[in-house]
Amino acid sequence: MCLLQKYLFKMMLQVWLVQALVVFLTTECIGELVDTCGVISPESPVIQSGSNFTAFCVLKEKCMSVYEVNASHIIWKANRVLIPEEQYTVINATTSSVTFANTGLLNVQLICNILAFGQIEMNVYGVRMRTGFPPEKPKNLNCIVNEGKKMMCQWDPGRETHLETNFTLKSEWATEKFDDCKAKPDTPTSCLVDYSPVYFVNIEVWVEAQNALGKVTSDHINFDPVDKVKPNPPHNLSVSNSEELSSILKLTWINPSIMNVIRLKYDIHYKTKDASAWSQIPPEDTATTRTSFTVQDLKPFTEYVFRIRCMKEDGKGFWSDWSADASGITYEARPSKAPSFWYKIPSHTQGSRSVQLIWKALPPSEANGKILDYEVTLTRWKSRSQNYTVNDTKLTVNLTNDRYIATLAARNLVGKSDASILTIPACDFQATHPITDLKAYPKDDVLWVEWTPPSKAVRKYVLEWCVLSDKSPCIPDWQQESGTVRHTYLRGKLVESKCYLITVIPVYGDGPGSPTSTKAYLKQAPPSKGPTVRTKKVGKNEAVLEWDQLPVDVQNGFIRNYTIFYRTIIGNETAVNVDSSHTEYTLSSLTSDTLYMVRMTAYTDEGGKDGPEFTFTTPKFAQGEIEAIVVPVCLAFLLTTLLGVLFCFNKRDLIKKHIWPNVPDPSKSHIAQWSPHTPPRHNFNSKDQIYSDGNFTDVSVVEIEANDKKPFPEDLKSLDLFKKEKVSTEGHSSGIGGSSCMSSSRPSISSGDENESAQNTSSTVQYSTVVHSGYRHQVPSVQVFSRSESTQPLLDSEERPEDLQLVDNVDSGDGVLPQQQYFKQNCSQPKTSPDISHFERSKQVSLGSEEDFLRLKQQQISDPVSQSCGAEQMKMFQGVFATDAFGSKTEAQVERLETVGMEAAVDEGMPKSYLPQTVRQGGYMPQ
């Protein structure tokens, strides 16, 4: 496929080259350019804008045969852009036309081309086609004759034609024509004639305008050149004053030379040096030819500027240009106005006061000359006057507290001004009658003040004003107005965006009245700084915002209102307008536990300024809401606790029974009252009572053998059961024979009264302690027992003091018993066993539960053998005890053994622990 395309391209290229060669050879043979093959008609056409236009292209016969073309092969282009074929028209074999409808402003190149051999585009002919408008009739033709120069005429050419248009000025006398004056292309509205004008002879003038689309002529005018003269301005203007009259100045000048031909009139303008507007001398005063003029009614000692021009007296022609300016100063006159006079009292002491007299320098228009000095006179009632001559505008004097009359006059070279009179009232003077309806407003770049006068006649008004600022004191400026004035403007140098405090004081014949003040701005602006908002109080659904008033230095105008903008992070911004008099605002309908962003804008009449953005977060709970929840809960808890305490108090006995045993204080034990021979160390702060030996009754004898058998837990439980059975069967017991094996059949004798017996219940555990007794073959002569009505567990040293001593004195052949070991009677032996009082060493076990005691109790009831064994063993033990205890020893020996046993038990330093009926190593075992 690619090879076929390349082949076709080469074939076409060869054909084009052959055709181009034929065209070149044909051209050489003919000897002419290709352009001669045809022509466009019309040649270089100029078309009126908005009209239709048709162009024709005509081919020549010799070219048609050579290139094998006809009119149908013609194509048209405008500025190298192909014109659509719809605009073509083939008239015949040699002619083709193109039509343009409603042509606009065009300036294009139109080209006629042919397609030679049906393929090659050849340029036949081209023309420049232009569009435009025909000239309009010139209007307002006028001519001017400048003095000493030739005449020049001017006209209005009308609309722009967009074509080259020629303007020709034609002029003639009645009998002679002058040369035409052709206007230059750069100045097509005027033309300067080559001949000099002749005065007093009329001339006729007109203008012709012509371009490619037409020709037009203006109206003819006929005039005398002298009526078109513009004179030269007067020169050498000068100004002089007069010593006799301070209100006049005399002007002198030299007229132009045209004055020899025509009569002139003048126009004189003047103004003060610093003024911008000119004043005119009345025209009727200068309507004749002259060389000087005296200007009257001028201000004394004032510099004036003058200028002058002239024209033909009858008003025909033109005013000359203005002359050069000339200035002059009028002579001095006495001051025309008294100075503004006021006073201040900066300090006041007892009996005298310092008074500062101040006045304004007279402006030049009122001073009428240079002020040399000021004369001040102070007069007190029925006293001589005090005269002062001052070159300054202030005077400080010390006056008494009386009323004074002060006068002030300004003096210049000519004389003194009228006197200003000021009344300085006495110290006890009370100012009254203030003005009303004081207003201040800006207008025409000045600050106007107006007020309503008081009912009392006012001599004058004093206006004071100063700039309010937080950084600098208010330094007042002032001015004085006549008593008939109702409004005026402040004549000081005022600054925009500054707040002015304006005070108006009426001055009466007897002194000043009460002042009235207001604030105003010459021009307001947006604040320089926005307000800073902060939170005063934040609630769950509302927040109280507060802010400070903007300092006056940054307000730049009157704060009309504030706008608070607040929003959440994702919410829309909400705007709230607040009056400018407020300094706090409450935002309501807020969402709890939400971050809010707040900014505030202060607005004046000219705009607003945003303050910094502030954020706050509303709490999750409102104030008091947590307390409303916590306080009832706490009260409920307190009430519940109180009810619980009251319940426990009412059920204290039941609770005490289940939680802890009733452990009495050992110091209140009755043991000291029951045992008279108790050693002093057993005295628990009770009265020492000595009882005789005969007081001991209901004695149970226990024989302890040093048998190193291992005890069984069941034996320990038998001891507990033995103790319980004893308690349940007997009201009062000695505590020694309280087991089923060793109990005595006769009742115990108690030293307590009936009340104490009634208080002892089945739950009360009675304890007994053998103070000392014999051991095996050692029989003491006297047996001493201690008895206690208390349920308090006894210390080891109190329960078995003799064990500590007797164990140490045991026969070495039988072995030594360890200290603080408990033994029980073995009731499990048969009745016929030779070893009846066999005891074994027991392990330490924990206290059995109440169920264990009940189980053991039931076992004892159902086992009569065990009970009978315990009774027989108890009888045998009593017999042995009687033999060993009362056999061979004397009473003195018994007492000695008692003392030695007790001391040994105490000296061993055994711990005095009171544990509830439990078996522990180093503890005790109640019986």
Side-chain angles (χ1 to χ4, degrees), residues 778-805:
Q778 299 178 9
V779 181
S781 60
V782 178
Q783 301 297 325
V784 180
F785 297 90
S786 296
R787 180 181 181 277
S788 174
E789 292 291 330
S790 173
T791 60
Q792 174 68 37
L794 301 178
L795 298 176
D796 291 342
S797 60
E798 294 177 327
E799 188 175 7
R800 291 187 309 276
E802 72 280 3
D803 291 346
L804 302 177
Q805 179 66 27

PDB file of all heavy atoms in Angstrom, residues 778-805:
ATOM      1  N   GLN A 778       4.915 -35.232 143.282  1.00  0.00           N
ATOM      2  CA  GLN A 778       5.152 -34.036 144.089  1.00  0.00           C
ATOM      3  C   GLN A 778       3.814 -33.481 144.494  1.00  0.00           C
ATOM      4  O   GLN A 778       3.100 -32.937 143.684  1.00  0.00           O
ATOM      5  CB  GLN A 778       5.954 -32.998 143.287  1.00  0.00           C
ATOM      6  CG  GLN A 778       7.327 -33.507 142.855  1.00  0.00           C
ATOM      7  CD  GLN A 778       8.052 -32.467 142.023  1.00  0.00           C
ATOM      8  OE1 GLN A 778       7.607 -31.364 141.925  1.00  0.00           O
ATOM      9  NE2 GLN A 778       9.211 -32.882 141.474  1.00  0.00           N
ATOM     10  N   VAL A 779       3.499 -33.623 145.790  1.00  0.00           N
ATOM     11  CA  VAL A 779       2.186 -33.197 146.266  1.00  0.00           C
ATOM     12  C   VAL A 779       2.355 -31.970 147.140  1.00  0.00           C
ATOM     13  O   VAL A 779       2.953 -32.042 148.218  1.00  0.00           O
ATOM     14  CB  VAL A 779       1.484 -34.306 147.070  1.00  0.00           C
ATOM     15  CG1 VAL A 779       0.116 -33.843 147.530  1.00  0.00           C
ATOM     16  CG2 VAL A 779       1.374 -35.551 146.215  1.00  0.00           C
ATOM     17  N   PRO A 780       1.854 -30.822 146.728  1.00  0.00           N
ATOM     18  CA  PRO A 780       1.955 -29.643 147.597  1.00  0.00           C
ATOM     19  C   PRO A 780       0.967 -29.763 148.759  1.00  0.00           C
ATOM     20  O   PRO A 780      -0.028 -30.466 148.675  1.00  0.00           O
ATOM     21  CB  PRO A 780       1.598 -28.481 146.673  1.00  0.00           C
ATOM     22  CG  PRO A 780       0.768 -29.080 145.606  1.00  0.00           C
ATOM     23  CD  PRO A 780       1.235 -30.499 145.424  1.00  0.00           C
ATOM     24  N   SER A 781       1.269 -29.085 149.842  1.00  0.00           N
ATOM     25  CA  SER A 781       0.427 -29.152 151.045  1.00  0.00           C
ATOM     26  C   SER A 781      -0.835 -28.339 150.888  1.00  0.00           C
ATOM     27  O   SER A 781      -1.846 -28.617 151.521  1.00  0.00           O
ATOM     28  CB  SER A 781       1.219 -28.668 152.276  1.00  0.00           C
ATOM     29  OG  SER A 781       1.617 -27.336 152.069  1.00  0.00           O
ATOM     30  N   VAL A 782      -0.790 -27.285 150.081  1.00  0.00           N
ATOM     31  CA  VAL A 782      -1.949 -26.392 149.945  1.00  0.00           C
ATOM     32  C   VAL A 782      -2.254 -26.241 148.446  1.00  0.00           C
ATOM     33  O   VAL A 782      -1.368 -25.993 147.649  1.00  0.00           O
ATOM     34  CB  VAL A 782      -1.686 -25.001 150.557  1.00  0.00           C
ATOM     35  CG1 VAL A 782      -2.892 -24.096 150.350  1.00  0.00           C
ATOM     36  CG2 VAL A 782      -1.370 -25.146 152.029  1.00  0.00           C
ATOM     37  N   GLN A 783      -3.527 -26.366 148.086  1.00  0.00           N
ATOM     38  CA  GLN A 783      -3.957 -26.180 146.682  1.00  0.00           C
ATOM     39  C   GLN A 783      -4.688 -24.824 146.573  1.00  0.00           C
ATOM     40  O   GLN A 783      -5.621 -24.588 147.327  1.00  0.00           O
ATOM     41  CB  GLN A 783      -4.911 -27.315 146.271  1.00  0.00           C
ATOM     42  CG  GLN A 783      -4.301 -28.689 146.396  1.00  0.00           C
ATOM     43  CD  GLN A 783      -3.101 -28.887 145.487  1.00  0.00           C
ATOM     44  OE1 GLN A 783      -3.083 -28.361 144.404  1.00  0.00           O
ATOM     45  NE2 GLN A 783      -2.106 -29.646 145.957  1.00  0.00           N
ATOM     46  N   VAL A 784      -4.227 -24.005 145.647  1.00  0.00           N
ATOM     47  CA  VAL A 784      -4.824 -22.665 145.466  1.00  0.00           C
ATOM     48  C   VAL A 784      -5.419 -22.579 144.047  1.00  0.00           C
ATOM     49  O   VAL A 784      -4.744 -22.916 143.081  1.00  0.00           O
ATOM     50  CB  VAL A 784      -3.795 -21.537 145.666  1.00  0.00           C
ATOM     51  CG1 VAL A 784      -4.455 -20.196 145.471  1.00  0.00           C
ATOM     52  CG2 VAL A 784      -3.184 -21.652 147.052  1.00  0.00           C
ATOM     53  N   PHE A 785      -6.657 -22.168 143.997  1.00  0.00           N
ATOM     54  CA  PHE A 785      -7.337 -22.029 142.708  1.00  0.00           C
ATOM     55  C   PHE A 785      -7.822 -20.584 142.552  1.00  0.00           C
ATOM     56  O   PHE A 785      -8.191 -19.951 143.535  1.00  0.00           O
ATOM     57  CB  PHE A 785      -8.547 -22.967 142.611  1.00  0.00           C
ATOM     58  CG  PHE A 785      -8.167 -24.436 142.683  1.00  0.00           C
ATOM     59  CD1 PHE A 785      -8.103 -25.113 143.886  1.00  0.00           C
ATOM     60  CD2 PHE A 785      -7.846 -25.119 141.512  1.00  0.00           C
ATOM     61  CE1 PHE A 785      -7.759 -26.439 143.928  1.00  0.00           C
ATOM     62  CE2 PHE A 785      -7.503 -26.463 141.574  1.00  0.00           C
ATOM     63  CZ  PHE A 785      -7.443 -27.120 142.777  1.00  0.00           C
ATOM     64  N   SER A 786      -7.833 -20.151 141.290  1.00  0.00           N
ATOM     65  CA  SER A 786      -8.403 -18.814 140.954  1.00  0.00           C
ATOM     66  C   SER A 786      -9.632 -19.033 140.095  1.00  0.00           C
ATOM     67  O   SER A 786      -9.627 -19.839 139.167  1.00  0.00           O
ATOM     68  CB  SER A 786      -7.405 -17.938 140.177  1.00  0.00           C
ATOM     69  OG  SER A 786      -6.309 -17.669 140.991  1.00  0.00           O
ATOM     70  N   ARG A 787     -10.667 -18.299 140.392  1.00  0.00           N
ATOM     71  CA  ARG A 787     -11.932 -18.430 139.658  1.00  0.00           C
ATOM     72  C   ARG A 787     -12.379 -17.067 139.140  1.00  0.00           C
ATOM     73  O   ARG A 787     -12.220 -16.070 139.807  1.00  0.00           O
ATOM     74  CB  ARG A 787     -13.011 -18.996 140.597  1.00  0.00           C
ATOM     75  CG  ARG A 787     -14.376 -19.184 139.924  1.00  0.00           C
ATOM     76  CD  ARG A 787     -15.361 -19.708 140.926  1.00  0.00           C
ATOM     77  NE  ARG A 787     -16.646 -19.912 140.300  1.00  0.00           N
ATOM     78  CZ  ARG A 787     -17.561 -18.960 140.110  1.00  0.00           C
ATOM     79  NH1 ARG A 787     -17.315 -17.736 140.498  1.00  0.00           N
ATOM     80  NH2 ARG A 787     -18.723 -19.243 139.543  1.00  0.00           N
ATOM     81  N   SER A 788     -12.948 -17.070 137.934  1.00  0.00           N
ATOM     82  CA  SER A 788     -13.403 -15.806 137.321  1.00  0.00           C
ATOM     83  C   SER A 788     -14.803 -15.973 136.790  1.00  0.00           C
ATOM     84  O   SER A 788     -15.148 -16.990 136.206  1.00  0.00           O
ATOM     85  CB  SER A 788     -12.485 -15.388 136.174  1.00  0.00           C
ATOM     86  OG  SER A 788     -13.007 -14.270 135.531  1.00  0.00           O
ATOM     87  N   GLU A 789     -15.625 -14.978 137.039  1.00  0.00           N
ATOM     88  CA  GLU A 789     -16.964 -14.947 136.463  1.00  0.00           C
ATOM     89  C   GLU A 789     -16.953 -14.430 135.003  1.00  0.00           C
ATOM     90  O   GLU A 789     -17.933 -14.465 134.316  1.00  0.00           O
ATOM     91  CB  GLU A 789     -17.869 -14.024 137.295  1.00  0.00           C
ATOM     92  CG  GLU A 789     -18.177 -14.544 138.673  1.00  0.00           C
ATOM     93  CD  GLU A 789     -19.084 -15.761 138.640  1.00  0.00           C
ATOM     94  OE1 GLU A 789     -19.894 -15.842 137.692  1.00  0.00           O
ATOM     95  OE2 GLU A 789     -18.982 -16.591 139.515  1.00  0.00           O
ATOM     96  N   SER A 790     -15.784 -13.903 134.576  1.00  0.00           N
ATOM     97  CA  SER A 790     -15.686 -13.267 133.246  1.00  0.00           C
ATOM     98  C   SER A 790     -15.600 -14.315 132.158  1.00  0.00           C
ATOM     99  O   SER A 790     -15.116 -15.419 132.376  1.00  0.00           O
ATOM    100  CB  SER A 790     -14.467 -12.349 133.174  1.00  0.00           C
ATOM    101  OG  SER A 790     -14.299 -11.888 131.882  1.00  0.00           O
ATOM    102  N   THR A 791     -16.061 -13.943 131.006  1.00  0.00           N
ATOM    103  CA  THR A 791     -15.920 -14.787 129.805  1.00  0.00           C
ATOM    104  C   THR A 791     -14.637 -14.471 129.065  1.00  0.00           C
ATOM    105  O   THR A 791     -14.417 -14.970 127.968  1.00  0.00           O
ATOM    106  CB  THR A 791     -17.110 -14.562 128.874  1.00  0.00           C
ATOM    107  OG1 THR A 791     -17.150 -13.193 128.491  1.00  0.00           O
ATOM    108  CG2 THR A 791     -18.409 -14.975 129.530  1.00  0.00           C
ATOM    109  N   GLN A 792     -13.812 -13.612 129.605  1.00  0.00           N
ATOM    110  CA  GLN A 792     -12.552 -13.234 128.960  1.00  0.00           C
ATOM    111  C   GLN A 792     -11.587 -14.392 129.008  1.00  0.00           C
ATOM    112  O   GLN A 792     -11.324 -14.960 130.068  1.00  0.00           O
ATOM    113  CB  GLN A 792     -11.951 -12.012 129.688  1.00  0.00           C
ATOM    114  CG  GLN A 792     -10.580 -11.627 129.199  1.00  0.00           C
ATOM    115  CD  GLN A 792     -10.652 -11.099 127.781  1.00  0.00           C
ATOM    116  OE1 GLN A 792     -11.591 -10.430 127.467  1.00  0.00           O
ATOM    117  NE2 GLN A 792      -9.666 -11.456 126.976  1.00  0.00           N
ATOM    118  N   PRO A 793     -11.013 -14.801 127.855  1.00  0.00           N
ATOM    119  CA  PRO A 793      -9.985 -15.840 127.900  1.00  0.00           C
ATOM    120  C   PRO A 793      -8.807 -15.357 128.723  1.00  0.00           C
ATOM    121  O   PRO A 793      -8.418 -14.199 128.665  1.00  0.00           O
ATOM    122  CB  PRO A 793      -9.611 -16.017 126.440  1.00  0.00           C
ATOM    123  CG  PRO A 793     -10.762 -15.482 125.677  1.00  0.00           C
ATOM    124  CD  PRO A 793     -11.338 -14.396 126.498  1.00  0.00           C
ATOM    125  N   LEU A 794      -8.204 -16.287 129.494  1.00  0.00           N
ATOM    126  CA  LEU A 794      -7.084 -15.961 130.370  1.00  0.00           C
ATOM    127  C   LEU A 794      -5.779 -16.165 129.655  1.00  0.00           C
ATOM    128  O   LEU A 794      -5.668 -16.961 128.714  1.00  0.00           O
ATOM    129  CB  LEU A 794      -7.140 -16.836 131.625  1.00  0.00           C
ATOM    130  CG  LEU A 794      -8.420 -16.700 132.464  1.00  0.00           C
ATOM    131  CD1 LEU A 794      -8.349 -17.655 133.632  1.00  0.00           C
ATOM    132  CD2 LEU A 794      -8.624 -15.293 132.921  1.00  0.00           C
ATOM    133  N   LEU A 795      -4.799 -15.414 130.115  1.00  0.00           N
ATOM    134  CA  LEU A 795      -3.455 -15.592 129.592  1.00  0.00           C
ATOM    135  C   LEU A 795      -2.894 -16.933 130.043  1.00  0.00           C
ATOM    136  O   LEU A 795      -3.327 -17.522 131.024  1.00  0.00           O
ATOM    137  CB  LEU A 795      -2.556 -14.458 130.069  1.00  0.00           C
ATOM    138  CG  LEU A 795      -2.969 -13.042 129.611  1.00  0.00           C
ATOM    139  CD1 LEU A 795      -2.042 -12.019 130.236  1.00  0.00           C
ATOM    140  CD2 LEU A 795      -2.934 -12.951 128.120  1.00  0.00           C
ATOM    141  N   ASP A 796      -1.916 -17.368 129.244  1.00  0.00           N
ATOM    142  CA  ASP A 796      -1.283 -18.650 129.595  1.00  0.00           C
ATOM    143  C   ASP A 796      -0.696 -18.619 130.996  1.00  0.00           C
ATOM    144  O   ASP A 796      -0.758 -19.582 131.763  1.00  0.00           O
ATOM    145  CB  ASP A 796      -0.189 -18.963 128.590  1.00  0.00           C
ATOM    146  CG  ASP A 796      -0.786 -19.292 127.222  1.00  0.00           C
ATOM    147  OD1 ASP A 796      -1.987 -19.604 127.191  1.00  0.00           O
ATOM    148  OD2 ASP A 796      -0.059 -19.195 126.217  1.00  0.00           O
ATOM    149  N   SER A 797      -0.104 -17.471 131.324  1.00  0.00           N
ATOM    150  CA  SER A 797       0.510 -17.360 132.649  1.00  0.00           C
ATOM    151  C   SER A 797      -0.535 -17.363 133.740  1.00  0.00           C
ATOM    152  O   SER A 797      -0.257 -17.718 134.891  1.00  0.00           O
ATOM    153  CB  SER A 797       1.362 -16.097 132.729  1.00  0.00           C
ATOM    154  OG  SER A 797       0.547 -14.978 132.488  1.00  0.00           O
ATOM    155  N   GLU A 798      -1.782 -16.915 133.415  1.00  0.00           N
ATOM    156  CA  GLU A 798      -2.848 -16.933 134.397  1.00  0.00           C
ATOM    157  C   GLU A 798      -3.511 -18.292 134.459  1.00  0.00           C
ATOM    158  O   GLU A 798      -4.007 -18.734 135.492  1.00  0.00           O
ATOM    159  CB  GLU A 798      -3.892 -15.872 134.064  1.00  0.00           C
ATOM    160  CG  GLU A 798      -3.384 -14.464 134.188  1.00  0.00           C
ATOM    161  CD  GLU A 798      -4.421 -13.450 133.783  1.00  0.00           C
ATOM    162  OE1 GLU A 798      -5.217 -13.758 132.878  1.00  0.00           O
ATOM    163  OE2 GLU A 798      -4.432 -12.358 134.366  1.00  0.00           O
ATOM    164  N   GLU A 799      -3.572 -18.964 133.277  1.00  0.00           N
ATOM    165  CA  GLU A 799      -4.281 -20.234 133.238  1.00  0.00           C
ATOM    166  C   GLU A 799      -3.469 -21.348 133.897  1.00  0.00           C
ATOM    167  O   GLU A 799      -4.001 -22.132 134.681  1.00  0.00           O
ATOM    168  CB  GLU A 799      -4.602 -20.590 131.796  1.00  0.00           C
ATOM    169  CG  GLU A 799      -5.497 -21.800 131.664  1.00  0.00           C
ATOM    170  CD  GLU A 799      -5.878 -22.024 130.220  1.00  0.00           C
ATOM    171  OE1 GLU A 799      -5.322 -21.301 129.358  1.00  0.00           O
ATOM    172  OE2 GLU A 799      -6.711 -22.872 129.964  1.00  0.00           O
ATOM    173  N   ARG A 800      -2.183 -21.483 133.589  1.00  0.00           N
ATOM    174  CA  ARG A 800      -1.355 -22.548 134.167  1.00  0.00           C
ATOM    175  C   ARG A 800      -0.017 -21.983 134.580  1.00  0.00           C
ATOM    176  O   ARG A 800       0.987 -22.241 133.945  1.00  0.00           O
ATOM    177  CB  ARG A 800      -1.169 -23.666 133.152  1.00  0.00           C
ATOM    178  CG  ARG A 800      -2.435 -24.457 132.851  1.00  0.00           C
ATOM    179  CD  ARG A 800      -2.110 -25.632 131.981  1.00  0.00           C
ATOM    180  NE  ARG A 800      -1.330 -25.228 130.813  1.00  0.00           N
ATOM    181  CZ  ARG A 800      -1.890 -24.752 129.695  1.00  0.00           C
ATOM    182  NH1 ARG A 800      -3.167 -24.570 129.633  1.00  0.00           N
ATOM    183  NH2 ARG A 800      -1.120 -24.448 128.679  1.00  0.00           N
ATOM    184  N   PRO A 801       0.052 -21.183 135.597  1.00  0.00           N
ATOM    185  CA  PRO A 801       1.360 -20.653 136.009  1.00  0.00           C
ATOM    186  C   PRO A 801       2.248 -21.727 136.570  1.00  0.00           C
ATOM    187  O   PRO A 801       3.472 -21.583 136.538  1.00  0.00           O
ATOM    188  CB  PRO A 801       1.007 -19.582 137.062  1.00  0.00           C
ATOM    189  CG  PRO A 801      -0.323 -20.011 137.579  1.00  0.00           C
ATOM    190  CD  PRO A 801      -1.040 -20.665 136.451  1.00  0.00           C
ATOM    191  N   GLU A 802       1.617 -22.820 137.090  1.00  0.00           N
ATOM    192  CA  GLU A 802       2.472 -23.849 137.698  1.00  0.00           C
ATOM    193  C   GLU A 802       3.192 -24.670 136.650  1.00  0.00           C
ATOM    194  O   GLU A 802       4.237 -25.274 136.932  1.00  0.00           O
ATOM    195  CB  GLU A 802       1.633 -24.772 138.606  1.00  0.00           C
ATOM    196  CG  GLU A 802       0.701 -25.716 137.850  1.00  0.00           C
ATOM    197  CD  GLU A 802      -0.566 -24.984 137.420  1.00  0.00           C
ATOM    198  OE1 GLU A 802      -0.638 -23.737 137.689  1.00  0.00           O
ATOM    199  OE2 GLU A 802      -1.469 -25.589 136.854  1.00  0.00           O
ATOM    200  N   ASP A 803       2.641 -24.665 135.361  1.00  0.00           N
ATOM    201  CA  ASP A 803       3.286 -25.481 134.333  1.00  0.00           C
ATOM    202  C   ASP A 803       4.662 -24.973 134.005  1.00  0.00           C
ATOM    203  O   ASP A 803       5.578 -25.744 133.715  1.00  0.00           O
ATOM    204  CB  ASP A 803       2.434 -25.497 133.071  1.00  0.00           C
ATOM    205  CG  ASP A 803       1.137 -26.262 133.286  1.00  0.00           C
ATOM    206  OD1 ASP A 803       1.076 -26.967 134.305  1.00  0.00           O
ATOM    207  OD2 ASP A 803       0.220 -26.129 132.448  1.00  0.00           O
ATOM    208  N   LEU A 804       4.795 -23.652 134.058  1.00  0.00           N
ATOM    209  CA  LEU A 804       6.088 -23.082 133.723  1.00  0.00           C
ATOM    210  C   LEU A 804       7.156 -23.515 134.697  1.00  0.00           C
ATOM    211  O   LEU A 804       8.310 -23.720 134.334  1.00  0.00           O
ATOM    212  CB  LEU A 804       5.977 -21.532 133.676  1.00  0.00           C
ATOM    213  CG  LEU A 804       4.942 -20.968 132.686  1.00  0.00           C
ATOM    214  CD1 LEU A 804       4.893 -19.442 132.815  1.00  0.00           C
ATOM    215  CD2 LEU A 804       5.280 -21.388 131.286  1.00  0.00           C
ATOM    216  N   GLN A 805       6.755 -23.633 135.972  1.00  0.00           N
ATOM    217  CA  GLN A 805       7.729 -24.033 136.993  1.00  0.00           C
ATOM    218  C   GLN A 805       7.849 -25.534 137.069  1.00  0.00           C
ATOM    219  O   GLN A 805       8.946 -26.080 137.195  1.00  0.00           O
ATOM    220  CB  GLN A 805       7.297 -23.456 138.361  1.00  0.00           C
ATOM    221  CG  GLN A 805       8.227 -23.825 139.503  1.00  0.00           C
ATOM    222  CD  GLN A 805       9.609 -23.173 139.326  1.00  0.00           C
ATOM    223  OE1 GLN A 805       9.710 -22.131 138.696  1.00  0.00           O
ATOM    224  NE2 GLN A 805      10.654 -23.797 139.836  1.00  0.00           N
TER     225      GLN A 805
END
